[in-house]
């Protein structure tokens, strides 16, 4: 407790600069990033090139994310604090639970997500610059991470303004492509949602459910990040009302947009051609759609929109994720410098630390490795947060809850089962990485928590 007071005394205060539209822009800005442009290929591939099943997976991914957003809205409205889920888990379960999750986010998931988007940006340009090698891609990614970190140090208002601008700038060209593809495209994709086994001989829900779960995991990377607006609870105007609005509107809008965008692709590119492209590692199907519909000039416009989307996503992630380290420090069991705010009202040291870790991950990890680990760690946190709604109601029945999950207990249980199923599917697909994310990283966090807990008790005793 004494540490919390000391840290609070050293700090300034967060500035409430984020409106509902700003919150929606940050949610959608983080989500509509690199994933929309290339993950559709991986979802289609995992769905055995069945367009109906692929669209079903996008819908399932959106519904799961929306259920999670509804649950997080209840927690966020009652605890609108910087740090989001880390703080929720501290309050609902035990500080060590929130700490282990927060440490996983601080060390791997948050900088890993930033690294993945930063790598995806130059990767999207390889087709236009064939001579670009791995070192060129990673060098550009590192420069981008540094630049956006410096920009976010300027203040949350500036970062929020960029989120608003990039949100509008990237949506307009993408909507043009979407509408043009649906109207002009001459393909009619199979919309049957019945999964078919890889052999193609029989349709079976039992075997097909595994296909849906496997493909949905890929779509969840495109939805990843919706919960991170909760990290900015203390910086939102009237967070009790505006935080739930930002989460629900943002996730709902992005879900509809993703389904329509992928349907538009299927309207233009025949499934066999899409399969050939994907098998040849040409996964940016949206660019090919633009070329076929509008020619070279508009295809350049699409690439520009794609880059703006990725840059906006990178900005939103750098902005939101640094608040995790701040929350852990402010709680009193982490490096104290992570909890200090600059005179601009931002956790500048936490931003710089996040930047350094993200650069290290860029140097030593691939895009695929980063994506898999981030999705799994995010699903663990989402599961704990969703089920935490029931725990919060049971442990703190008198706590004010300005927003409650529609459907009550039933909605929470359905959301919990969805995240359990996704975690089991991911574990079966990649057990080693799952064990690393589920046990190894949180265990390191628990050791650090115990160290600081003993140190705090020792200092309190001496005082």
């Amino acid at each position: 407790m004494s540490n919390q007071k000391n840290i609070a005394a050293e700090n300034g205060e967060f500035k409430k600069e984020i409106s509902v539209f700003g919150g929606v822009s940050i949610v959608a800005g983080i989500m509509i990033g690199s994933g929309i442009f290339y993950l559709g290929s991986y979802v289609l591939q995992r769905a055995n090139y069945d367009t109906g099943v692929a669209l079903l997976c996008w819908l399932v991914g959106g519904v799961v994310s929306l259920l999670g957003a509804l649950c997080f809205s209840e927690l966020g409205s009652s605890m609108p604090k910087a740090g989001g889920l880390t703080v929720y888990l501290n309050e609902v379960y035990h500080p060590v639970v929130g700490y282990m999750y927060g440490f996983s986010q601080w060390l791997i998931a948050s900088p890993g997500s930033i690294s993945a988007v930063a790598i995806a940006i130059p990767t999207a340009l390889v087709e236009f610059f064939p001579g670009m090698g791995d070192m060129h891609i990673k060098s550009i990614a590192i420069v981008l991470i540094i630049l956006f970190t410096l920009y976010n140090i300027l203040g949350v208002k500036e970062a929020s303004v960029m989120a608003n601008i990039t949100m509008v700038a990237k949506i307009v060209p993408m909507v043009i492509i979407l509408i043009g593809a649906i109207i002009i495209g001459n393909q009619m994709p199979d919309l049957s949602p019945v999964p078919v086994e890889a052999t193609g001989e029989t349709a079976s829900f039992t075997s097909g459910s595994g296909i849906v779960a496997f493909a949905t995991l890929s779509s969840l990377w495109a939805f990843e990040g919706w919960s991170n607006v909760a990290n900015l609870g203390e910086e939102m105007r009237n967070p009790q009302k505006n935080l739930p609005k930002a989460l629900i509107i943002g996730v709902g809008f992005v879900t509809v947009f993703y389904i329509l965008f992928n349907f538009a692709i299927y309207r233009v590119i025949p499934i066999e051609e899409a399969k050939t492209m994907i098998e040849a590692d040409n996964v940016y199907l949206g660019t090919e759609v633009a070329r076929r519909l509008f020619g070279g000039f508009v295809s350049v416009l699409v690439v520009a929109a794609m880059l703006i989307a990725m840059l906006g996503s990178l900005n939103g992630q750098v902005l939101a994720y640094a608040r995790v380290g701040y929350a852990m420090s402010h709680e009193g069991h982490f490096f104290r410098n992570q909890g200090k705010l600059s005179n601009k009202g931002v956790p500048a040291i936490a931003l710089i630390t996040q930047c350094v870790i993200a650069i290290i991950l860029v140097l030593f990890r691939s895009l695929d490795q980063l994506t898999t680990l981030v999705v799994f760690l995010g699903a663990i946190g989402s599961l704990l947060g969703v089920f935490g709604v029931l725990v919060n109601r049971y442990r703190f029945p008198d706590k004010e809850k300005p927003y409650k999950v529609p459907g009550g207990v039933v909605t929470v249980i359905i959301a919990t089962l969805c995240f359990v199923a996704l975690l089991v599917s991911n574990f079966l697909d990649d057990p080693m990485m799952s064990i690393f994310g589920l046990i190894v990283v949180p265990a390191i966090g628990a050791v650090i928590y115990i160290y600081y807990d003993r140190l705090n008790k020792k200092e309190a005793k001496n005082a």
Side-chain angles (χ1 to χ4, degrees), residues 29-30 148 163 166 170 307-317:
I30 292 175
F148 276 96
T166 56
K170 68 188 175 185
L307 292 175
I308 292 172
M310 293 180 182
L311 291 170
S313 177
L314 184 60
N315 173 67
Q317 290 183 359

Side-chain angles (χ1 to χ4, degrees), residues 15-325:
K15 297 179 180 179
K16 293 186 178 295
E17 302 278 7
I18 303 176
S19 63
V20 174
F21 182 75
V24 172
S25 296
I26 292 169
V27 172
I30 292 175
M31 294 168 70
I32 304 177
S34 58
I36 182 62
F37 300 103
Y38 70 86
L39 281 174
S41 298
Y42 297 139
V43 173
L44 188 60
Q45 187 179 48
R46 289 186 171 193
N48 294 326
Y49 297 99
D50 187 320
T51 52
V53 174
L55 292 175
L56 173 64
C57 293
W58 283 105
L59 176 60
V60 171
V63 169
V64 170
S65 299
L66 186 57
L67 289 172
L70 291 172
C71 295
F72 273 55
S73 294
E74 179 169 326
L75 293 176
S77 67
S78 62
M79 293 176 277
K81 299 179 181 178
L85 183 56
T86 302
V87 175
Y88 305 162
L89 299 182
N90 284 347
E91 298 279 347
V92 172
Y93 296 103
H94 185 279
V96 74
V97 177
Y99 189 91
M100 287 192 293
Y101 169 76
F103 183 78
S104 299
Q105 293 295 304
W106 178 83
L107 183 65
I108 299 294
S110 295
S113 185
I114 290 169
S115 301
V117 175
I119 291 173
I121 292 171
T123 300
L125 298 175
V126 170
E127 183 181 352
F128 299 91
F129 303 98
M132 188 183 295
D134 186 59
M135 284 308 300
H136 295 100
I137 290 173
K138 294 195 171 186
S139 297
I140 294 172
I142 290 170
V143 170
L144 288 173
I145 292 170
I146 293 172
L147 289 177
F148 276 96
T149 297
L150 294 175
Y151 181 76
N152 274 269
I153 289 174
L154 294 177
V156 69
K157 184 176 182 180
E158 288 76 8
S160 180
V161 167
M162 175 172 280
N164 294 343
I165 293 172
T166 56
M167 179 65 189
V168 175
K170 68 188 175 185
I171 286 296
V172 172
M174 291 169 70
V175 168
I176 293 173
I177 301 304
L178 187 155
I179 294 174
I182 291 177
I183 295 175
I184 302 174
N186 56 11
Q187 301 296 314
M188 189 59 230
D190 179 12
L191 299 181
S192 171
V194 180
V196 179
E197 293 185 79
T199 58
E201 296 175 355
T202 59
S204 167
F205 178 77
T206 303
S207 59
S209 61
I211 295 173
V212 172
F214 187 52
T216 299
L217 275 172
S218 286
S219 75
L220 283 178
W221 167 244
F223 288 99
E224 178 67 26
W226 56 265
S227 64
N228 288 289
V229 73
N231 293 349
L232 306 170
E234 286 187 50
E235 295 159 271
M236 292 195 75
R237 303 168 193 160
N238 194 4
Q240 286 80 5
K241 291 183 179 180
N242 292 343
L243 182 58
K245 287 181 182 178
L247 277 168
I248 295 168
I249 294 172
V251 174
F253 167 76
V254 171
T255 300
V256 173
F257 185 81
Y258 280 172
I259 293 172
L260 290 176
F261 193 83
N262 283 278
F263 175 75
I265 290 174
Y266 305 153
R267 285 280 293 159
V268 175
I269 304 178
I271 191 62
E272 289 303 320
E273 289 187 36
K275 182 177 181 179
T276 301
M277 291 176 62
I278 294 169
E279 296 299 331
D281 291 328
N282 184 4
V283 295
Y284 287 90
L285 301 180
T287 304
E288 180 62 22
V289 168
R291 285 176 176 168
R292 295 188 183 192
L293 290 178
F294 305 111
F297 173 75
V298 179
S299 67
V300 173
L301 181 65
V302 173
V303 173
M306 181 168 62
L307 292 175
I308 292 172
M310 293 180 182
L311 291 170
S313 177
L314 184 60
N315 173 67
Q317 290 183 359
V318 171
L319 166 66
Y321 292 162
R323 273 64 181 171
V324 174

